[in-house]
């Protein structure tokens, strides 16, 4: 590649027809007819998604807050980091992340940074996730948030970061946001450190928001 800049770039191939054969509660399926570089057209089916936020919350003993939740599509109970949908179009992702951390782990955090931004499954879904690093965490006073469905029997734990890295590399932990989050934080700690990460309100072209 020489001195080429290795960076994802926006591009949009021409769509000659589009349909939405399925619309669910939060997501849908879209079928686009897309013009290829040689002029032929093909159809591409993909899931439409509002976007998500996830939080790698690190306590003062460098343990990560994780929770175990049943995920029906993969028929597994997975260890994950707190995460949730961007319920409102244009919602500030930091506010959504703070809400999820409160609702799922009942904690708040003093210091927020953007850890990484990912497309979870770009071959078949337009979901974009912003993963935050949250530090300076403390329990929140007051009533706990009422949970339902899969969240009713969630298990919470605080696990040292190296133990999670070991589990990822051993093939024992599979949740996308957890894997990306713990490996990204490990890379940041080995590099310029967490304080060099992007600020919590850094632009997010995949899901633009008002600060």
């Amino acid at each position: 590649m020489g001195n080429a800049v290795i960076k994802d770039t926006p591009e949009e191939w021409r769509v000659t027809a589009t349909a939405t054969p399925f619309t669910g509660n939060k997501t849908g399926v879209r079928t686009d007819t897309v013009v290829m570089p040689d002029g032929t057209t093909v159809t591409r089916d993909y899931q439409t998604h509002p976007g998500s936020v996830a939080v790698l919350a690190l306590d003062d003993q460098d343990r990560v807050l994780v929770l175990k939740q049943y995920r029906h599509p993969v028929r597994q109970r997975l260890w994950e980091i707190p995460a949730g949908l961007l319920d409102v179009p244009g919602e500030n992702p930091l506010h959504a992340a703070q809400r999820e951390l409160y609702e799922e782990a009942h904690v708040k955090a003093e210091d927020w940074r953007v850890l990484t931004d990912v497309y979870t499954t770009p071959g078949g879904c337009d979901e974009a996730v912003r993963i935050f690093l949250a530090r300076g965490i403390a329990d929140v006073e007051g009533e706990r948030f009422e949970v339902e469905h899969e969240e009713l029997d969630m298990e919470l734990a605080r696990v040292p970061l190296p133990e999670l890295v070991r589990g990822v590399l051993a093939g024992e932990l599979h949740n996308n946001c957890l894997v990306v989050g713990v490996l990204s934080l490990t890379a940041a700690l080995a590099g310029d450190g967490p304080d060099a990460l992007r600020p919590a309100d850094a632009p997010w072209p995949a899901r633009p928001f008002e600060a």
Side-chain angles (χ1 to χ4, degrees):
M1 293 291 290
N3 293 321
V5 176
I6 306 300
K7 182 179 180 180
D8 298 337
T9 53
E11 185 167 336
E12 193 160 347
W13 292 3
R14 190 160 67 93
V15 174
T16 57
T18 188
T20 308
F22 171 78
T23 302
N25 184 27
K26 294 288 187 182
T27 66
V29 172
R30 184 174 295 160
T31 300
D32 288 344
T33 303
V34 186
V35 181
M36 296 289 105
D38 64 0
T40 59
T41 58
V42 301
T43 57
R44 291 286 179 261
D45 304 316
Y46 58 99
Q47 183 184 15
T48 57
H49 193 287
S52 306
V53 291
V55 185
L56 196 153
L58 203 60
D59 71 12
D60 56 6
Q61 297 174 49
D62 288 338
R63 298 176 303 178
V64 178
L65 270 67
V66 290
L67 45 94
K68 201 173 192 182
Q69 185 170 341
Y70 176 66
R71 294 300 186 181
H72 186 70
V74 295
R75 308 300 199 271
Q76 293 219 354
R77 191 184 287 267
L78 302 178
W79 282 106
E80 308 183 349
I81 57 176
L85 296 175
L86 288 170
D87 293 326
V88 183
E91 180 180 15
N92 186 315
L94 174 60
H95 297 164
Q98 290 170 330
R99 181 184 67 237
E100 291 301 329
L101 186 61
Y102 165 65
E103 291 181 358
E104 294 192 350
H106 211 63
V107 298
K108 59 184 178 180
E110 290 293 320
D111 186 280
W112 290 81
R113 315 264 168 173
V114 175
L115 187 54
T116 189
D117 299 321
V118 291
Y119 293 116
T120 53
T121 323
C125 181
D126 68 1
E127 181 182 14
V129 180
R130 168 156 280 189
I131 304 175
F132 290 92
L133 172 64
R135 294 178 296 170
I137 63 174
D139 290 334
V140 178
E141 299 295 322
E143 290 293 310
R144 290 191 175 273
F145 181 76
E146 286 294 320
V147 297
E148 59 181 2
H149 306 313
E150 286 91 344
E151 296 181 352
L152 280 170
D153 65 345
M154 280 196 313
E155 188 180 338
L156 283 167
R158 297 190 181 198
V159 182
L161 181 66
E163 190 174 323
L164 294 175
V165 173
R166 185 207 61 77
V168 168
L169 299 180
E172 298 167 359
L173 299 170
H174 306 87
N175 174 265
N176 188 303
C177 292
L178 181 143
V179 170
V180 173
V182 301
L183 296 184
S184 295
L185 178 57
T186 301
L189 291 169
D192 295 330
D195 291 339
L197 291 167
R198 286 173 293 159
D201 60 353
W204 190 19
R207 293 294 185 274
F209 62 93
E210 293 294 325

